[in-house]
Amino acid sequence: MLEDIEKVLITREELQKSAEELGKRISADYRGKKLVLIGVLKGGVVFLSDLIRHIDIPLDLDFISVSSYGDSTRSSGVVRIMKDVDIDVMGKHVLIVEDLVDSGLTLKYLKDLFQARGPKDVKCCAALDKPSRREVEIEIEYKGIEIPDEFVVGYGMDFAERYRNLPDVCVLKPHIYYE
Ligand code: PRP
Ligand code: MN
Ligand code: MG
């Protein structure tokens, strides 16, 4: 697996520092409010597990599974729900937790989906932001690290379901993508 890596783009230390800062901001902003954190499977789980350990206020945790990329490096543009949340978000503050906002299509879909369920508000926290690839205008209220236009894996992110367990955010050698 390590032999497939071209370079490390964001180190585990930078990711930890960013998760800590975001967790502290979220703790301060949502204190005294009914917070529901929604992890977006599968990519969002690694960041989510780092983030929640830096949030020191009560919260409900749930997961939704959506996919738009399949085994390709390009979004299909069609977002599909594979598993919905169990929690009723009515009257609560929803915070969607994502690993990456790329075209923005997934986040736009999720924000609209939860907005329609009667919450107090819907915001997003993303570990990484790739603004150069945005196709829809979308606000990321809690934004981690900005990255250039490269296909990244690791820290939850996959290429054809592999490499999610790499601790750093990495770029693969070109031949891996083209094989
Ligand atoms: C990836 C990533 C984000 C989304 C971002 O998920 O985890 O959820 O794409 O891309 P976008 O801004 O262009 O919509 P993917 O669809 O690959 O599913 P996965 O999390 O299960 O890998
Ligand atoms: Mn995802
Ligand atoms: Mg994926």
Side-chain angles (χ1 to χ4, degrees):
M1 196 169 62
L2 293 177
E3 65 276 9
D4 297 347
I5 296 172
E6 167 109 356
K7 66 179 176 196
V8 171
L9 198 62
I10 316 281
T11 64
R12 60 198 79 182
E13 290 81 13
E14 292 173 273
L15 292 161
Q16 284 303 321
K17 189 166 160 279
S18 179
E20 183 175 350
E21 286 169 5
L22 290 167
K24 284 182 178 159
R25 266 182 63 203
I26 290 165
S27 304
D29 293 354
Y30 287 92
R31 202 165 294 276
K33 297 178 176 170
K34 280 185 187 155
L35 173 62
V36 181
L37 232 62
I38 297 180
V40 184
L41 300 172
K42 302 173 189 167
V45 291
V46 177
F47 172 55
L48 177 97
S49 66
D50 280 344
L51 181 71
I52 54 172
R53 284 176 286 175
H54 293 291
I55 300 178
D56 65 357
I57 55 168
L59 58 84
D60 292 353
L61 182 60
D62 208 341
F63 295 92
I64 190 166
S65 176
V66 292
S67 192
S68 72
Y69 280 75
D71 285 352
S72 157
T73 59
R74 280 197 70 87
S75 170
S76 64
V78 181
V79 182
R80 287 183 304 155
I81 298 187
M82 322 298 281
K83 178 220 170 285
D84 206 337
V85 295
D86 305 319
I87 289 178
D88 181 7
V89 301
M90 178 93 74
K92 296 170 187 161
H93 296 269
V94 172
L95 186 63
I96 298 165
V97 180
E98 265 284 30
D99 47 341
L100 170 68
V101 182
D102 193 307
S103 72
L105 290 167
T106 304
L107 182 57
K108 172 90 173 68
Y109 176 86
L110 289 172
K111 276 195 164 179
D112 292 347
L113 180 80
F114 286 109
Q115 199 61 63
R117 295 179 177 178
K120 277 258 161 53
D121 57 23
V122 180
K123 293 184 179 176
C124 173
C125 178
L128 304 173
D129 178 23
K130 200 193 279 181
S132 56
R133 287 268 304 244
R134 203 73 93 244
E135 289 175 32
V136 285
E137 209 180 299
I138 192 91
E139 191 181 348
I140 308 167
E141 289 82 0
Y142 298 91
K143 192 160 71 174
I145 300 165
E146 230 177 76
I147 59 166
D149 186 9
E150 292 194 81
F151 192 86
V152 289
V153 297
Y155 200 60
M157 293 173 291
D158 71 304
F159 172 57
E161 293 302 329
R162 289 182 61 198
Y163 307 104
R164 294 191 196 274
N165 54 323
L166 290 171
D168 309 295
V169 173
C170 301
V171 177
L172 297 176
K173 288 178 181 158
H175 76 88
I176 306 281
Y177 300 121
Y178 298 124
E179 258 163 24

